[in-house]
Amino acid sequence: MLYINGEWRPANSGKTMEVINPATGEKIADVASAGKGETQEAIEAANAAFSIWRKRTAQERSAYLERIADKLQEKKEELARTITTEMGKPLGEARREVDSSAAYVKWFAEEAKRVYGETIPANQSDKHLMILRQPIGVAAAITPWNFPLSMIARKIAPAIAAGCTVVIKPAPATPLSAMKMFECFDEADLPKGVANLIIGPAEEVGPVLTGSPIVRKITFTGSTAVGKLLLKQSADTVKKVSMELGGHAPFIVFEDADLEAAAKGAIATKFVNNGQTCICTNRIYVHESIKEEFGKILAEKARGLKVGNGLEDGVNVGPLINQASYEKVQRHVQDAVAKNGQVLCGGNPYEEDGLGGYFFEPTVITNATEDMQIATEETFGPVAPIFSFKEEAEVIEKANNTPYGLAAYFYTSDLSRGLRVMAELDYGIVGLNDPAPVTPQGPFGGYKESGIGREGGKSGILEYLEEKYISIHMI
Ligand code: ADP
């Protein structure tokens, strides 16, 4: 169902689309599939609500967000099961996603109250200069399937905290989590029109959102290719944009690193969500003196990961989202093997009775080289390639040699090296001996072709605010 102007409704055409469980290949739901007309209606509802919502006090907006965060926690189990059923991640990870969504909503409930203006020392004694921060207007959000709940939370919460209203289009693969999120909005009595949900094909909905002069902000998480398209489409109406795009994260293990901790970190950053996150490790660079030992530890840990339907207990790695992802993973492995990569574990599709989806074995490949597809393309799957290096400067250059710049990780126990390397990496997020840097307190976003803008942190809310400079002459 769509949620427009505070009401649940089907598409005008009565059209629906199927939602598939990637662990079984079975259909789990039919949901409304909207087109241009409903998108325009949602934009108009958001616009009408904006003139009211922006005038609510920060405390009032904050109170709504607090209630939404509480609803998310109350429905944690139901939400987690929805996430797992429609996109496959293990239930434990899905529960953490619900926690993280609630945490982002709470963070922005607090930030709503701290949108301070400024006064500026004036250039003349008879002038007063000041800055007001005001909500930018209607924001359109387009979100991906890999974090079907938290990506929505990270966009809608700062928008409505700032006083904006929102139209959101979730990924067609994962509309059910979005609908559950909107149930929370509904139950928290969020005023009508403040948040609107449009489920429908990207080619229909996308251009209406980007083309509308009413929409003043586009916030997107997804592939770099689609991000570039949205940037172009948004140019005609000169929208403010936030883009969280692809990544190709390096993971560097220096010779002085704690190998056990580094291997644990590599497993966490590589195999979380079956490798399907934009901050997942893509290239593991290990100092040549410890490459063999590290490869052994990593392969042993990867072999210990349990593959299966995420609803089952003890599963660490679920299915890939679809056939195209599955084929890409296979292509990367085959290409690496053809170029003399050595498979230390995995390397094949994972088959087991009763599993119908796209499963692949957690895979570690050593002797990786720069000419392999996996060295430059985002795999978005459970394959860990190990490269080796000799010198610090060399590995920094290799790590930075990509159009992407989202997340990078490195392990060392040398403090001076830590300080040097963290400054040199051209990435928006750096984990130093830390595989889990993401938290609402921290700004999330990329350098270079990984994006524009930040989500979370103290900068997150600024993405939805305009800065108005006022000069007063006392005549
Ligand atoms: P992925 O490859 O992970 O599915 P995409 O970038 O294709 O990532 O999708 C992320 C989001 O962008 C989804 O909600 C998808 O429907 C949407 N999307 C894809 N193509 C377009 C487009 N041309 N215009 C607007 N949205 C799009």
Side-chain angles (χ1 to χ4, degrees):
M1 297 278 263
L2 316 173
Y3 188 84
I4 302 174
N5 210 22
E7 282 182 8
W8 290 103
R9 36 175 278 200
N12 293 343
S13 64
K15 267 198 210 156
T16 57
M17 58 188 186
E18 294 185 345
V19 185
I20 306 288
N21 178 342
T24 61
E26 285 162 7
K27 180 170 100 173
I28 47 174
D30 284 304
V31 296
S33 177
K36 295 189 169 62
E38 298 91 329
T39 310
Q40 189 56 37
E41 284 177 58
I43 292 171
E44 278 158 23
N47 197 32
F50 177 59
S51 55
I52 304 165
W53 186 244
R54 67 180 305 180
K55 298 206 177 93
R56 304 296 284 260
T57 64
Q59 279 78 1
E60 285 173 315
R61 291 197 298 267
S62 174
Y64 281 107
L65 287 166
E66 292 284 358
R67 277 210 291 280
I68 292 166
D70 292 343
K71 290 276 166 204
L72 287 165
Q73 284 295 2
E74 273 168 36
K75 290 176 187 271
K76 178 166 166 178
E77 204 50 34
E78 185 187 340
L79 283 161
R81 294 189 91 80
T82 304
I83 293 171
T84 296
T85 317
E86 69 176 348
M87 62 69 64
K89 73 177 57 169
L91 208 45
E93 284 186 30
R95 291 190 186 112
R96 284 198 288 282
E97 182 174 345
V98 181
D99 287 340
S100 151
S101 304
Y104 272 97
V105 174
K106 274 202 176 286
W107 172 262
F108 285 110
E110 290 153 5
E111 288 296 281
K113 295 178 277 185
R114 317 208 199 293
V115 177
Y116 297 111
E118 284 172 39
T119 56
I120 303 169
N123 56 328
Q124 287 176 210
S125 57
D126 60 352
K127 278 192 173 191
H128 276 286
L129 310 182
M130 64 177 83
I131 291 172
L132 299 186
R133 296 214 159 75
Q134 297 183 306
I136 188 161
V138 174
I142 300 178
T143 52
W145 50 265
N146 59 348
F147 288 91
L149 195 73
S150 62
M151 292 300 114
I152 297 180
R154 257 160 56 162
K155 295 183 186 312
I156 292 195
I160 64 183
C164 294
T165 54
V166 188
V167 177
I168 183 148
K169 190 206 86 64
T174 54
L176 302 178
S177 305
M179 284 166 58
K180 291 268 174 224
M181 179 81 154
F182 272 72
E183 278 175 28
C184 295
F185 296 162
D186 202 38
E187 289 170 20
D189 290 324
L190 191 66
K192 67 176 187 175
V194 172
N196 303 274
L197 172 65
I198 290 289
I199 298 164
E203 322 74 67
E204 292 260 330
V205 177
V208 181
L209 296 175
T210 51
S212 169
I214 296 172
V215 174
R216 296 312 317 147
K217 162 90 191 180
I218 293 276
T219 169
F220 171 73
T221 299
S223 60
T224 294
V226 172
K228 287 180 181 176
L229 181 76
L230 295 176
L231 282 171
K232 285 181 192 142
Q233 289 177 354
S234 301
D236 279 346
T237 45
V238 194
K239 296 188 200 316
K240 190 169 168 113
V241 292
S242 298
M243 296 277 148
E244 299 293 347
L245 309 178
H248 206 271
F251 185 106
I252 307 169
V253 187
F254 286 101
E255 62 274 32
D256 50 38
D258 174 334
L259 284 201
E260 181 60 28
K264 239 170 119 182
I267 292 283
T269 56
K270 176 70 257 184
F271 297 105
V272 64
N273 209 3
N274 202 7
Q276 302 173 114
T277 89
C278 45
I279 59 166
C280 269
T281 287
N282 280 267
R283 293 166 285 153
I284 302 178
Y285 293 103
V286 184
H287 190 266
E288 60 175 10
S289 64
I290 51 167
K291 190 181 110 181
E292 209 155 306
E293 191 185 349
F294 184 80
K296 262 193 214 146
I297 304 175
L298 191 66
E300 195 184 310
K301 288 189 189 302
R303 269 192 291 270
L305 297 171
K306 184 169 183 242
V307 182
N309 185 327
L311 289 177
E312 277 164 27
D313 273 351
V315 164
N316 307 108
V317 175
L320 290 157
I321 189 73
N322 57 29
Q323 173 92 23
S325 297
Y326 182 71
E327 284 170 6
K328 186 176 195 187
V329 169
Q330 274 184 313
R331 174 163 65 76
H332 278 187
V333 171
Q334 283 159 4
D335 172 74
V337 170
K339 291 172 182 154
N340 298 323
Q342 187 195 341
V343 177
L344 294 182
C345 76
N348 297 300
Y350 179 88
E351 280 158 19
E352 195 188 296
D353 284 349
L355 287 182
Y358 304 109
F359 291 90
F360 203 86
E361 294 172 341
T363 299
V364 178
I365 299 179
T366 194
N367 298 340
T369 47
E370 307 292 322
D371 59 336
M372 294 176 181
Q373 289 171 5
I374 203 165
T376 50
E377 288 180 29
E378 207 179 358
T379 308
F380 241 59
V383 186
I386 300 178
F387 302 74
S388 65
F389 69 93
K390 287 191 179 75
E391 305 290 338
E392 184 180 301
E394 170 205 351
V395 76
I396 290 170
E397 196 199 322
K398 284 181 169 162
N400 286 340
N401 186 18
T402 164
Y404 294 114
L406 190 54
Y409 309 90
F410 70 103
Y411 279 68
T412 178
S413 50
D414 177 337
L415 177 62
S416 304
R417 168 172 275 157
L419 294 170
R420 267 196 314 271
V421 175
M422 81 181 192
E424 293 288 326
L425 289 169
D426 293 335
Y427 288 82
I429 301 165
V430 174
L432 199 181
N433 295 334
D434 185 5
V438 179
T439 168
Q441 291 86 329
F444 183 106
Y447 283 18
K448 301 192 309 198
E449 294 189 21
S450 285
I452 300 174
R454 295 293 180 268
E455 287 186 334
K458 85 182 164 150
S459 33
I461 199 165
L462 298 178
E463 303 285 331
Y464 298 89
L465 294 165
E466 280 284 20
E467 201 170 70
K468 181 178 284 177
Y469 164 63
I470 299 168
S471 173
I472 303 165
H473 192 189
M474 295 178 286
I475 50 176

